[in-house]
């Protein structure tokens, strides 16, 4: 239709809708605010942008405004367009869980409050556990430090990290945690690694 090019996934647009019959509204006007050209022309950027969009789609309710989530998504898409850091999807997932009130407890065992010794990522428990409380998925100290930084105000430093084993580990942990929350597997991020 005449609005098709403006309705590309990942574009920031202003749209005017007319309430239609049933659940679908009719687009009467669409204006592009930010087109994100670099994102649409680069598979890596497009995959990361798709991962953010899919995550948001899974946690939002139709016709329920969520301005903080919109601002977070617009910020994430802007970062992808501008510099495409490897940690953007993982950081977004952790911040999204925090926004949903489900930030994982990463400083101490969620069962016994112990903060010493090795800690294990336990998605079902909502954070980390010590070995004596049942453990979980093995997690390195650097991955825990990066995840804590995302949730505790160190996002900009995390986004400057180069792609390495730690960023891949955090991405896996954050993805698993979000998938547990939405109770389904996210497909878009896996395109990036195939």
């Amino acid at each position: 239709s005449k609005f098709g090019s403006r309705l590309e996934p990942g574009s920031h647009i202003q749209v005017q809708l007319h309430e239609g019959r049933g659940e679908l509204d009719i687009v009467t006007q669409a204006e592009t605010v930010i087109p994100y050209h670099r994102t649409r022309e680069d598979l890596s950027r497009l995959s990361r942008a798709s991962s953010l969009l899919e995550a948001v789609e899974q946690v939002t309710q139709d016709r329920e405004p969520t301005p903080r989530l919109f601002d977070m998504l617009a910020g994430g898409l802007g970062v992808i367009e501008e510099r495409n850091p490897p940690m953007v999807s993982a950081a977004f997932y952790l911040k999204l869980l925090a926004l949903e009130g489900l930030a994982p407890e990463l400083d101490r065992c969620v069962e016994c409050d112990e903060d010493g010794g090795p800690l294990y990522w336990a998605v079902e428990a909502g954070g980390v556990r010590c070995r004596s409380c049942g453990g979980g998925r093995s997690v390195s100290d650097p991955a825990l430090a990066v995840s804590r930084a995302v949730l505790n105000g160190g996002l900009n430093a995390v986004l400057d990290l180069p792609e390495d084993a730690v960023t891949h580990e955090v991405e896996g942990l954050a993805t698993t945690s979000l998938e547990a929350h939405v109770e389904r597997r996210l497909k878009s991020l896996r395109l990036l690694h195939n």
Side-chain angles (χ1 to χ4, degrees):
S1 81
K2 61 184 176 180
F3 301 118
S5 65
R6 290 186 186 91
L7 302 178
E8 291 283 330
S11 294
H12 182 171
I13 62 170
Q14 287 185 342
V15 64
Q16 184 173 0
L17 302 169
H18 176 71
E19 192 171 330
R21 296 183 188 155
E23 295 180 19
L24 296 177
D25 292 333
I26 299 165
V27 177
T28 58
Q29 183 177 342
E31 181 180 318
T32 302
V33 177
I34 305 172
Y36 299 119
H37 290 298
R38 291 173 65 193
T39 298
R40 286 203 307 260
E41 296 168 356
D42 179 335
L43 184 58
S44 171
R45 280 182 165 86
L46 186 59
S47 295
R48 285 198 175 101
S50 295
S51 73
L52 273 55
L53 294 167
E54 183 181 11
V56 168
E57 178 189 24
Q58 293 303 310
V59 300
T60 55
Q61 301 283 327
D62 283 344
R63 300 179 190 277
E64 291 293 323
T66 51
R68 287 184 60 203
L69 180 54
F70 175 82
D71 291 343
M72 196 170 95
L73 176 61
L77 293 173
V79 167
I80 291 169
E81 174 77 4
E82 190 176 303
R83 53 191 179 125
N84 195 27
M87 276 295 298
V88 70
S89 296
F92 187 85
Y93 292 171
L94 290 171
K95 296 293 260 182
L96 180 57
L97 288 168
L99 188 63
E100 292 282 298
L102 298 167
E105 169 56 57
L106 302 177
D107 293 322
R108 56 191 68 242
C109 176
V110 295
E111 306 291 338
C112 71
D113 215 28
E114 178 66 38
D115 62 356
L119 295 171
Y120 300 85
W121 197 285
V123 171
E124 70 284 354
V128 292
R129 280 197 298 229
C130 65
R131 179 176 288 138
S132 61
C133 289
R137 181 176 173 177
S138 180
V139 58
S140 70
D141 288 338
L144 267 178
V146 167
S147 300
R148 288 174 182 143
V150 168
L151 295 170
N152 296 323
L155 181 60
N156 286 332
V158 167
L159 292 178
D160 288 337
L161 294 174
E163 186 168 357
D164 62 9
V166 172
T167 60
H168 284 284
E169 182 180 4
V170 174
E171 185 176 79
L173 295 167
T175 302
T176 300
S177 297
L178 184 61
E179 287 176 341
H181 171 56
V182 299
E183 298 178 342
R184 67 174 295 205
R185 292 186 55 102
L186 300 174
K187 300 172 187 165
S188 52
L189 191 59
R190 286 173 178 76
L191 293 173
L192 189 62
H193 302 298
N194 287 336

